[in-house]
């Protein structure tokens, strides 16, 4: 017992008692939280890899981070063919590449050429024009590659310049950031540039003729404009030239959503049959072949005037007036005496002389205006007629009256003029330039303000062989029936001639913009690009006009709102494009 007690703690030497260590608390949810964080981290890595798979692949492989390469767009210029494609497609504001293939006229690759790409954006409102470019690296077999950054969204004009010792060619395109593909604007050739060194790219290094340069600007600071090459005063970069051709291209870009707001509509240039319409002013006139004059061949005195007003209608055989003439009365007596002597001579057997006297007296009366019926009535009665009735030789309307009842008239005096209005003439005056198109028998349509909504159809009956020296117009005649007497002389009429011209290339008249001596239409190049093109116009028919040169069948042209497009093109391009060429001004 004692041994046990001595070994107990109470028997130890006095000192501080040891402190026991606190027991650690274990969280039962810790393993689950750790697993959730691990899963979330792995998921974030997977999502990041999916979203940025293209940049990661490009970083590991060294290729472009863009999308697929666009289809190559072909342009021929200066005896070479230039094919250009974009990578990525659609292009972005930065990180773009252009792949260019240059071949000669035989299709062989052109190596050792100096190829440069330039990009331009015209001024828009307060924003100045932007310009930049870069040289290409040759990949062999006529292939060239250039990297370029556009700097901002919107539509850009791309210019590719190819220079060799024997060829200097330019190809132009348009592109829009975010829209797929290149749109060709065409190509051109220039004089061969001089040798270039390894220094900075100047105006001559770009293959440009210094006389064609409009101004120099900085691609980073487009507000800088200089008439001489040099350094940018802001960033000290080399200034790049902007040629007059680039200014004068007139190409503008209007996206579809803005077109709807501006009311801009387009249509295609189509080949369709048209009729040339010639309009002329005409005047209704009396048919001169149905015009009659009443003229006496002997003097006398008018009595019993039956037609005493102008405009009165008469029929053939109606009595117009009676005439007392002493000479006519004496001639009637001579005629009756000759007939009596003829009867006496017939008894004696000598009739030849008496018959000659009767024929002479009868001829005199007939020449003085007596008809056969009146001669027969005179012979039957055996008494001279004191007041001889004179009858109308035709049916018609009295358009002129120069006599009153009881008037004394003389031989040769015109008493009446009668017009038969059953047919009437339309005389139309045409400009000298339109006369060669008018032929006899050509159909014509006549309308009158007097009869709105009614059209009379006729044919050209005669073309007068002379011009009016004052108005320099020629006259044609159209005969119309007028049985209802609706057409009246001296009315004004509108005469239209339609000449079928067959199929022609036509656009709406509203598509043509008139600017001085030139005629322009805006052609839709795609990707929002609109380019003004000078055209020659021909015949007009209804709402369409013939285009003889300037556009091709199937081209899409602006048909509505083109004056707004023209105003924007004026602002964004050089004024000389709208003022005409140097030749036009002189």
């Amino acid at each position: 017992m004692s041994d046990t007690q001595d070994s107990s703690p109470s028997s130890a030497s006095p000192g501080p008692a040891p402190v026991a260590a606190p027991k650690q608390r274990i969280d039962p949810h810790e393993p689950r939280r750790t697993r959730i964080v691990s899963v979330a981290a792995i998921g974030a890595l997977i999502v990041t890899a999916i979203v940025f798979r293209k940049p990661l692949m490009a970083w590991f492989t060294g290729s472009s981070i863009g999308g697929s390469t666009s289809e190559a767009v072909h342009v021929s210029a200066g005896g070479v063919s230039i094919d250009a494609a974009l990578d990525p497609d659609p292009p972005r504001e930065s990180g773009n590449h252009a792949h260019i293939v240059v071949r000669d006229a035989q299709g062989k690759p052109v190596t050792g050429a100096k190829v440069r790409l330039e990009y331009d954006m015209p001024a828009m409102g307060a924003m100045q024009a932007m310009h930049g470019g870069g040289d290409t690296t040759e990949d062999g077999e006529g292939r060239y590659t250039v990297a370029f950054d556009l700097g901002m969204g919107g539509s850009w004009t791309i210019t590719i310049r190819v220079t060799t010792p024997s060829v200097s060619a330019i190809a132009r395109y348009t592109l829009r950031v975010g829209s797929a593909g290149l749109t060709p604007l065409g190509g051109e050739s220039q004089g061969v540039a001089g040798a270039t060194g390894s220094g900075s790219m100047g105006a001559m290094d770009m293959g440009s003729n210094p006389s064609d340069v409009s101004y120099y600007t900085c691609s980073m600071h487009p507000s800088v404009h200089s008439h001489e090459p040099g350094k940018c005063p802001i960033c000290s970069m080399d200034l790049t030239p902007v040629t007059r051709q680039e200014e004068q291209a007139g190409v503008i870009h209007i996206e579809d959503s803005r077109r709807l707001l501006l009311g801009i509509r387009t249509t295609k240039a189509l080949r369709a049959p048209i009729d040339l319409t010639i309009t002329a002013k005409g005047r209704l006139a009396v048919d001169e072949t149905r015009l009659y004059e009443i003229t006496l061949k002997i003097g006398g005195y008018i009595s019993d005037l039956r037609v005493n007003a102008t405009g009165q209608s008469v029929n053939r055989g109606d009595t117009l007036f009676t005439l007392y003439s002493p000479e006519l009365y004496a001639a009637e007596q001579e005629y009756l005496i000759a007939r009596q002597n003829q009867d006496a001579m017939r008894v004696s057997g000598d009739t030849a002389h008496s018959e000659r006297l009767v024929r002479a007296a009868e001829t005199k009366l007939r020449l003085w205006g007596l008809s056969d019926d009146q001669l027969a009535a005179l012979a039957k009665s055996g008494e001279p007629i004191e007041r001889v009735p004179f009858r109308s030789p035709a049916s018609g309307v009295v358009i002129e009256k120069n006599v009153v009842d009881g008037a004394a008239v003389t031989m040769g005096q015109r008493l009446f003029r009668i017009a038969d209005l059953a047919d009437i003439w339309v005389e139309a005056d045409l400009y000298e330039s339109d006369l060669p198109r008018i032929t006899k028998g050509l159909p014509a349509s006549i309308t009158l303000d007097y009869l709105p909504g009614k059209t009379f159809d006729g044919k050209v009956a005669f073309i007068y062989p002379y011009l009016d020296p004052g108005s320099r117009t020629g006259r044609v005649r159209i005969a119309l029936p007028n049985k209802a007497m609706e057409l009246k002389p001296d009315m004004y009429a509108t005469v239209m001639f339609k000449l079928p011209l067959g199929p022609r290339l036509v656009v709406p008249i509203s598509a043509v913009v008139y600017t001085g001596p030139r005629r322009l239409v805006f052609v839709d190049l795609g990707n929002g690009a609109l380019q003004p093109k000078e055209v020659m116009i021909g015949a007009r028919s209804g709402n369409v006009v013939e285009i003889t040169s300037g556009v091709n069948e199937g081209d899409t042209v602006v048909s509505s709102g083109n004056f707004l497009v023209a105003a924007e093109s004026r602002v964004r391009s050089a004024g000389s494009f709208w003022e005409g060429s140097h030749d036009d001004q002189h």
Side-chain angles (χ1 to χ4, degrees):
M1 290 294 292
S2 59
D3 294 338
T4 306
Q5 292 175 353
D6 292 339
S7 60
S8 64
S10 61
S11 61
S13 58
V19 179
K23 188 176 182 180
Q24 185 177 3
R25 184 178 180 182
I26 299 175
D27 189 353
H29 298 288
E30 182 67 24
R32 181 179 179 185
R33 185 178 300 159
T34 303
R35 288 194 300 270
I36 293 175
V37 172
S38 300
V39 171
I42 295 172
L45 290 174
I46 294 174
V47 171
T48 302
I50 293 174
V51 173
F52 298 99
R53 64 185 184 279
K54 290 185 178 180
L56 291 173
M57 291 293 293
W59 185 80
F60 281 110
T61 61
S63 61
S64 171
I65 65 174
S68 60
T69 303
S70 68
E71 295 185 2
V73 179
H74 176 80
V75 172
S76 296
V80 297
S81 65
I82 303 172
D83 294 319
L86 291 176
D87 178 19
D89 186 39
R92 301 174 179 176
E93 295 182 6
S94 60
N96 299 297
H97 291 77
H99 302 288
I100 303 166
V101 180
V102 183
R103 297 184 178 89
D104 60 15
Q106 289 72 35
K108 297 179 180 180
V110 176
T111 59
K114 190 171 187 61
V115 180
R116 179 174 173 81
L117 180 143
E118 300 171 9
Y119 48 89
D120 301 90
M121 177 181 285
M124 292 180 289
M127 189 188 78
Q128 297 292 330
M130 300 184 66
H131 183 88
D135 295 323
T136 62
T137 58
E138 186 172 359
D139 302 330
E141 298 296 326
R143 300 179 182 274
Y144 302 83
T145 303
V146 60
F148 63 97
D149 296 331
L150 295 175
M152 65 176 293
S155 299
W156 294 81
T157 299
I158 302 298
T159 302
I160 297 176
R161 302 178 184 272
V162 178
T163 305
T164 68
S166 60
V167 172
S168 180
I170 296 176
R172 287 189 173 87
Y173 312 83
T174 61
L175 63 80
R176 185 174 185 83
V177 175
S179 298
L182 276 172
T183 301
L185 295 180
E188 61 186 76
S189 61
Q190 289 188 341
V192 178
T196 59
S198 59
S200 63
M201 180 63 73
M204 293 299 295
D205 294 327
M206 293 171 56
S208 297
N209 188 337
S211 63
D212 292 336
V213 175
S214 178
Y215 62 90
Y216 296 84
T217 187
C218 176
S219 59
M220 297 300 296
H221 302 91
S223 60
V224 174
H225 282 224
S226 174
H227 295 292
E228 299 294 336
K231 300 290 185 179
C232 175
I234 302 175
C235 63
S236 298
M237 290 181 59
D238 291 329
L239 297 180
T240 55
V242 177
T243 65
R244 291 185 175 89
Q245 292 174 342
E246 291 170 346
E247 278 197 316
Q248 294 174 359
V251 177
I252 61 173
H253 297 79
I254 303 177
E255 57 189 16
D256 293 340
S257 59
R258 190 180 175 202
R259 292 186 188 186
L260 293 175
L261 293 175
L262 296 176
I264 298 174
R265 301 290 183 269
T266 59
T267 187
K268 289 187 177 296
L270 301 176
R271 191 170 295 275
I274 63 171
D275 295 331
L276 174 62
T277 302
I278 299 176
T279 304
K281 288 299 181 181
R283 185 183 67 88
L284 274 58
V286 175
D287 186 344
E288 295 177 3
T289 63
R290 296 173 175 267
L291 194 60
Y292 305 92
E293 289 188 355
I294 310 301
T295 304
L296 291 178
K297 301 177 180 64
I298 189 173
Y301 301 91
I302 299 295
S303 61
D304 193 16
L305 184 65
R306 305 284 181 87
V307 178
N308 51 16
T310 304
Q312 184 174 340
S313 298
V314 296
N315 295 319
R316 182 185 179 90
D318 289 351
T319 300
L320 301 176
F321 58 89
T322 59
L323 177 70
Y324 167 69
S325 172
E327 294 179 88
L328 184 58
Y329 187 80
E332 292 176 3
Q333 289 181 328
E334 291 176 1
Y335 173 68
L336 294 175
I337 292 172
R339 289 183 61 88
Q340 294 174 359
N341 291 336
Q342 184 182 24
D343 294 339
M345 292 296 181
R346 190 177 295 115
V347 175
S348 62
D350 186 8
T351 59
H353 180 67
S354 61
E355 288 178 358
R356 288 196 297 270
L357 293 176
V358 171
R359 284 199 301 272
E362 183 179 332
T363 302
K364 181 188 293 187
L365 292 175
R366 186 176 286 110
L367 293 176
W368 279 354
L370 270 66
S371 63
D372 293 338
D373 293 340
Q374 289 175 322
L375 289 173
L378 179 61
K380 183 177 180 181
S381 66
E383 295 292 335
I385 303 174
E386 183 177 345
R387 288 179 171 79
V388 179
F390 280 79
R391 297 183 174 87
S392 174
S395 299
V397 176
V398 176
I399 61 174
E400 185 178 339
K401 170 180 167 292
N402 299 315
V403 66
V404 295
D405 199 0
V409 295
T410 59
M411 178 179 60
Q413 181 179 346
R414 184 172 67 191
L415 306 182
F416 298 96
R417 175 173 282 187
I418 299 174
D420 186 356
L421 301 180
D423 287 331
I424 203 163
W425 286 354
V426 180
E427 295 179 333
D429 294 325
L430 295 167
Y431 290 112
E432 189 175 353
S433 57
D434 292 331
L435 281 176
R437 303 178 183 271
I438 306 300
T439 58
K440 187 176 180 179
L442 182 69
S445 299
I446 297 94
T447 58
L448 300 93
D449 294 338
Y450 170 72
L451 298 170
K454 190 168 185 177
T455 302
F456 298 86
D457 297 324
K459 294 183 178 180
V460 176
F462 185 74
I463 302 173
Y464 289 85
Y466 52 82
L467 294 179
D468 185 335
S471 61
R472 303 302 302 171
T473 57
R475 181 168 293 182
V476 299
R477 179 200 305 160
I478 303 161
L480 295 178
N482 188 31
K483 295 182 179 179
M485 295 298 168
E486 294 178 309
L487 306 178
K488 306 181 187 306
D490 292 323
M491 279 185 169
Y492 287 107
T494 300
V495 184
M496 297 182 62
F497 305 92
K498 286 188 177 181
L499 290 79
L501 300 180
R504 301 292 176 92
L505 183 64
V506 296
V507 298
I509 291 179
S510 59
V512 181
V513 179
Y514 293 82
T515 167
R518 306 164 67 194
R519 308 291 181 263
L520 302 175
V521 298
F522 283 90
V523 178
D524 192 342
L525 303 177
N527 292 332
L530 299 174
Q531 181 182 27
K533 288 190 176 182
E534 185 173 358
V535 296
M536 299 293 293
I537 63 175
R540 302 179 185 181
S541 178
N543 295 325
V544 299
V545 61
E546 177 190 1
I547 301 296
T548 59
S549 65
V551 298
N552 299 318
E553 183 178 0
D555 286 351
T556 301
V557 301
V558 176
S559 59
S560 177
N562 51 8
F563 286 103
L564 296 174
V565 178
E568 189 158 354
S569 180
R570 284 179 183 268
V571 172
R572 296 191 183 186
S573 63
S576 57
F577 178 85
W578 291 89
E579 294 170 1
S581 63
H582 180 77
D583 295 337
D584 293 339
Q585 294 173 357
H586 291 80

